[in-house]
Amino acid sequence: MEIENQHPFQIDLGHLMAFNPHHQFPSLPSSREDLVSECLQKGTELVQSIANDLFNLPSTEDRDGPLVRLPPPTTRLPREKPLPKPKPPTKWELFAQKKGIKNRKKDKRVYDEQTHTWKRRHGYDRANDEDNIPIIEAKMTDESGEDPFAARRADKKKRVEKQEKNRLQNLKQAAKVGALPSHIQLAATALPITGTQAAPKKITKDELGNVAGMAATSTASGGKFDKKFAGEKPAKHQGKYRKFLPVVEGTGIGSREREQTEKVLSRLISKNSHEILNVNKAVNMYNVKKEKKQRNQGKSSSMSSKLKPNKKLQKKPLKKGSSKQGKAK
Amino acid sequence: MLQIRTPKNRKVKRELEKRAPKLVETGKKTLILHGTKTSGVLNEVLTELYHLKKESAVKYSRKNDGIKPFESGGDASLEFFSLKTDCSIILYGSHSKKRPNNLVIARTYNQHIYDMVEVGIENFKSMHSFAYDKKLSPRVGSKPFITFIGEGFENVEELKHLKEVLLDFFRGEVVENLNLSGLDRVYVCTAISPNKVFLTHCALRLKKSGSVVPRMELVEVGPSMDMVIRRHRLPTDGLRKEAMKTAKDKAKKKEKNVSKDIIQGKIGRIYIPDQKVGDMAIVDKSKGVKRERREAKMKNRDDGPASKKPKEDSEKPKEDSE
């Protein structure tokens, strides 16, 4: 024990870890219980030595108990992920540095010339909004037939596109160093070998099926005598989608095309056609209007008695109908 | 052609930022999983270790095929799981005739296996088999003491490696400020023989000793087990060097509203909200003090109901005119 006291244990307060490198079992204890109790006893010594250091650290009283500031751990453990890399400067930042341009803070509120009020610089209802100019004064240099508003819009669009291009370029540079922001991914939309500019579309299952179906039926026999592959399904839409009646006059179907078109035409053209005028609806509308009128009159004169006969009049046809039904039964 | 892809919603963005490399890392998450075959003992070991690390662990409960640590290409799925769950310590349990009750503790660096230790579990005692005062039982997520006993941890290479891995596994979150009243658990690791480690989990009882430092007393709460070292794989020197890198200085938080003056020294600017004099007069704002509603009711009783009386339409305009 005395020797051990002279050689203090290795203590890492940052991890609350203690290590006793001097202990050695002369002979393993015969029973498990002895072994455990000895281990616990040695462990207690170690914990006590950590506590000796820990409780002597300067502490601040908190509501939950004394708070102690731990020293940084001395045992070095491997990191979980590599150190984050610093972001390389953008092209503008490089340029600004070369020219000695410094960022200045801009006010959030700006005076709006049009409305003579103070407005936000950016966002909805912003001051001096380019997209929201009611009048552009004509100049002598203006060419006729040119829309100055459209020109402005196109110009703005071009600027936005240019900025987007610059942003992508800067991100590419950052990706090369491995300092891309964690929430941004650069995804390849086309292989560089093909040199295509447009992004290739992802082919869906349905589209593939359609193409396969088309290919299968594009033989002279419409795929009727072709060999079927294992697992090949019959085409979903067999035959035609739309029927066109023959235009040439003849017997049977030939005359039906004429009938069809004539029917549509007569419906459109004839003014007094009963098909167009919905009699039931018209009568209803008339009745409702009349009723409203009477009601309004009744209110103004505060005579409710006028409503009664009207109601009876309306109910009459209903009663008749019911009686008829009764007879039929 | 490249396309800039950004998360479609804030939640995803936050999650991605959480997983991004940090200058100062806080703690490692643990993934606990098992192979196609496990034993009853191993199942218990895995669940109890999961309970010990519950605040920062993910447990897979299904069989995982095709994981063969220490074999070339056998840890591909471990690396994938590590990437998926953002865990950098992996506990993998398996049971075979050749290696019964086998537990592999692997660590990853940058989602690739960094090092591995394989141990066999013997003499396992579950935490349910210990009888103790339940008031002492450690709370979830408390910072543990970790003790290593025995010269084996310094002289034998395998044990030295195991010591580092166990320390990394048990230490939990790296904290700066520690509440001394929250200390309630100890892990005791003892090297019994050059290839065997006895590991147990104890609760801590602080007893008065008359001085500032309380007297420590350990109460075994389990689980406890013997770990027999089997295979192990150390990281290559290059990888170790890279993984041990630390940030030179901590990222300083931007100091706001503080300026320095030659004569006056440090000057701070603070914000004091408007004094709302009208509000301040009433100190007690509790419900009972408020009289408005009750007074309003009284008023209603006086003349309110009268006005609510159903009236005929002809009378109404008369009142208005009055």
Side-chain angles (χ1 to χ4, degrees):
Chain A
M1 281 298 280
E2 280 177 8
I3 301 161
E4 274 182 3
N5 283 338
Q6 281 170 5
H7 294 273
F9 313 123
Q10 293 176 14
I11 291 172
D12 185 354
L13 264 188
H15 285 141
L16 298 183
M17 191 268 281
F19 174 35
N20 176 3
H22 307 291
H23 180 261
Q24 201 177 0
F25 284 102
S27 60
L28 268 182
S30 52
S31 74
R32 181 91 184 155
E33 279 144 28
D34 290 345
L35 174 80
V36 171
S37 64
E38 195 182 337
C39 288
L40 285 192
Q41 189 212 329
K42 292 284 168 198
T44 315
E45 278 172 25
L46 281 170
V47 172
Q48 190 66 51
S49 65
I50 303 175
N52 285 342
D53 286 2
L54 194 66
F55 280 82
N56 284 324
L57 286 174
S59 68
T60 51
E61 270 304 319
D62 193 63
R63 197 178 42 188
D64 304 324
L67 273 187
V68 154
R69 201 176 180 79
L70 285 181
T74 51
T75 318
R76 295 182 77 191
L77 292 169
R79 291 177 65 82
E80 185 180 7
K81 276 160 199 168
L83 277 170
K85 289 192 174 109
K87 184 175 130 307
T90 62
K91 215 166 176 183
W92 161 254
E93 277 165 358
L94 283 176
F95 178 75
Q97 202 188 18
K98 211 168 83 183
K99 292 276 179 188
I101 302 167
K102 270 178 191 159
N103 266 347
R104 267 183 288 121
K105 278 229 165 169
K106 286 177 185 170
D107 284 340
K108 264 188 186 173
R109 297 230 153 217
V110 187
Y111 189 72
D112 189 32
E113 303 288 341
Q114 277 180 39
T115 54
H116 301 289
T117 49
W118 289 86
K119 281 183 171 180
R120 272 183 241 106
R121 183 186 290 276
H122 301 289
Y124 175 73
D125 194 22
R126 61 170 167 269
N128 308 322
D129 191 356
E130 279 183 27
D131 309 337
N132 202 9
I133 291 175
I135 297 161
I136 300 173
E137 276 181 33
K139 278 178 267 173
M140 291 301 286
T141 52
D142 280 351
E143 281 177 37
S144 63
E146 226 172 57
D147 182 2
F149 291 100
R152 261 172 180 280
R153 250 176 279 136
D155 187 42
K156 167 107 188 177
K157 204 176 175 188
K158 224 183 243 172
R159 271 180 288 147
V160 169
E161 265 168 15
K162 193 184 165 217
Q163 173 54 31
E164 208 46 31
K165 212 186 90 197
N166 289 347
R167 181 176 167 229
L168 180 65
Q169 195 56 39
N170 285 326
L171 283 176
K172 264 191 208 166
Q173 283 300 321
K176 233 181 226 173
V177 195
L180 209 60
S182 60
H183 63 279
I184 290 177
Q185 274 185 325
L186 289 182
T189 53
L191 291 174
I193 315 152
T194 54
T196 48
Q197 290 293 308
K201 262 188 198 167
K202 251 194 178 177
I203 302 162
T204 61
K205 196 180 162 190
D206 285 349
E207 278 170 340
L208 256 183
N210 284 343
V211 173
M214 257 189 259
T217 53
S218 56
T219 56
S221 61
K224 197 175 178 186
F225 302 108
D226 283 5
K227 225 185 188 176
K228 283 271 185 295
F229 290 107
E232 191 182 329
K233 285 169 191 165
K236 269 178 196 168
H237 289 290
Q238 270 178 338
K240 290 162 187 171
Y241 285 91
R242 201 176 150 188
K243 269 179 192 166
F244 292 98
L245 293 168
V247 190
V248 185
E249 290 251 350
T251 51
I253 319 169
S255 58
R256 229 194 278 167
E257 201 271 339
R258 193 196 176 89
E259 273 173 30
Q260 236 178 36
T261 39
E262 268 180 353
K263 202 175 162 190
V264 175
L265 206 68
S266 65
R267 209 194 256 177
L268 287 173
I269 291 173
S270 61
K271 277 181 184 170
N272 301 328
S273 168
H274 286 283
E275 308 238 289
I276 280 184
L277 182 71
N278 192 341
V279 180
N280 277 341
K281 204 176 175 184
V283 169
N284 264 344
M285 270 168 75
Y286 176 73
N287 279 343
V288 169
K289 231 180 218 173
K290 207 174 169 187
E291 206 178 299
K292 251 187 193 170
K293 218 178 180 182
Q294 279 166 350
R295 214 183 282 161
N296 284 340
Q297 280 174 354
K299 257 193 182 175
S300 60
S301 64
S302 75
M303 285 278 280
S304 57
S305 57
K306 264 195 176 180
L307 277 169
K308 277 177 181 173
N310 269 334
K311 264 186 184 172
K312 265 182 185 173
L313 270 174
Q314 265 197 329
K315 273 179 183 174
K316 255 182 186 173
L318 263 174
K319 266 184 182 175
K320 265 183 187 173
S322 63
S323 64
K324 265 180 192 172
Q325 272 177 4
K327 271 175 190 173
K329 275 174 189 176
Chain B
M1 280 292 281
L2 284 176
Q3 191 190 11
I4 303 169
R5 249 190 226 168
T6 46
K8 292 284 175 289
N9 54 39
R10 280 278 150 166
K11 198 179 172 190
V12 177
K13 191 181 174 186
R14 254 178 276 135
E15 191 57 40
L16 283 173
E17 270 161 10
K18 237 184 264 168
R19 285 170 177 227
K22 291 181 200 79
L23 209 59
V24 180
E25 285 174 348
T26 46
K28 293 179 175 184
K29 271 167 77 184
T30 311
L31 172 66
I32 298 171
L33 74 170
H34 57 77
T36 44
K37 212 183 135 194
T38 53
S39 58
V41 171
L42 205 59
N43 278 337
E44 251 182 300
V45 170
L46 291 178
T47 41
E48 301 209 344
L49 287 178
Y50 173 62
H51 282 306
L52 294 182
K53 295 277 296 175
K54 198 150 194 179
E55 79 286 353
S56 65
V58 179
K59 190 169 187 298
Y60 279 4
S61 56
R62 290 200 186 184
K63 287 176 185 176
N64 292 290
D65 198 10
I67 298 177
K68 291 189 181 75
F70 297 101
E71 283 174 36
S72 65
D75 43 23
S77 45
L78 282 186
E79 285 176 0
F80 171 70
F81 291 144
S82 150
L83 173 73
K84 196 179 163 193
T85 55
D86 196 31
C87 291
S88 54
I89 297 176
I90 301 169
L91 291 192
Y92 170 72
S94 63
H95 180 71
S96 64
K97 199 171 176 184
K98 192 176 177 187
R99 297 194 180 88
N101 298 329
N102 203 34
L103 181 72
V104 178
I105 310 172
R107 287 188 292 174
T108 65
Y109 170 70
N110 199 13
Q111 266 93 43
H112 290 288
I113 296 289
Y114 174 77
D115 62 352
M116 284 191 279
V117 188
E118 190 178 51
V119 290
I121 305 294
E122 283 173 10
N123 297 329
F124 176 71
K125 257 181 104 180
S126 157
M127 57 170 87
H128 302 298
S129 59
F130 289 91
Y132 58 94
D133 184 11
K134 295 294 176 201
K135 273 180 202 164
L136 285 175
S137 51
R139 275 162 290 171
V140 174
S142 62
K143 182 94 179 159
F145 284 106
I146 307 163
T147 59
F148 293 96
I149 304 156
E151 58 165 11
F153 283 121
E154 203 170 51
N155 302 333
V156 186
E157 198 204 5
E158 285 95 341
L159 289 186
K160 206 175 167 186
H161 188 195
L162 183 68
K163 174 179 169 248
E164 194 192 318
V165 172
L166 284 179
L167 174 63
D168 207 357
F169 175 61
F170 285 128
R171 66 167 174 162
E173 208 171 313
V174 180
V175 289
E176 226 171 34
N177 293 317
L178 184 73
N179 188 346
L180 291 181
S181 62
L183 295 168
D184 55 3
R185 66 168 82 198
V186 183
Y187 293 106
V188 182
C189 310
T190 321
I192 309 173
S193 65
N195 69 340
K196 208 178 203 181
V197 171
F198 168 66
L199 167 73
T200 187
H201 175 220
C202 301
L204 196 62
R205 189 188 276 162
L206 306 179
K207 288 201 158 181
K208 276 173 195 167
S209 68
S211 68
V212 188
V213 185
R215 195 158 60 79
M216 300 293 176
E217 202 178 275
L218 300 192
V219 181
E220 204 177 7
V221 294
S224 83
M225 62 190 98
D226 281 358
M227 288 176 158
V228 183
I229 295 265
R230 281 179 184 152
R231 292 178 287 181
H232 81 132
R233 195 175 84 191
L234 283 167
T236 56
D237 285 342
L239 187 64
R240 178 197 285 273
K241 207 176 165 190
E242 205 198 318
M244 288 295 185
K245 272 181 190 167
T246 46
K248 270 174 196 155
D249 43 8
K250 272 182 191 173
K252 260 188 192 168
K253 213 178 173 189
K254 197 181 168 191
E255 209 174 37
K256 276 181 173 176
N257 302 332
V258 175
S259 59
K260 270 178 185 159
D261 194 272
I262 308 163
I263 304 158
Q264 286 168 300
K266 202 174 179 184
I267 299 169
R269 206 149 48 85
I270 58 167
Y271 172 72
I272 298 172
D274 272 4
Q275 273 193 48
K276 284 170 186 160
V277 184
D279 269 9
M280 272 156 89
I282 305 162
V283 181
D284 191 2
K285 275 184 149 186
S286 57
K287 213 173 184 180
V289 180
K290 281 187 181 169
R291 282 299 167 114
E292 291 100 329
R293 181 153 294 180
R294 213 183 296 168
E295 277 160 14
K297 254 186 193 171
M298 296 281 276
K299 255 184 205 173
N300 277 347
R301 208 170 291 159
D302 291 343
D303 56 3
S307 65
K308 273 185 184 175
K309 258 182 194 172
K311 279 172 195 169
E312 284 175 38
D313 290 9
S314 54
E315 269 179 279
K316 217 175 184 179
K318 271 183 190 174
E319 252 191 7
D320 286 338
S321 64
E322 277 179 283

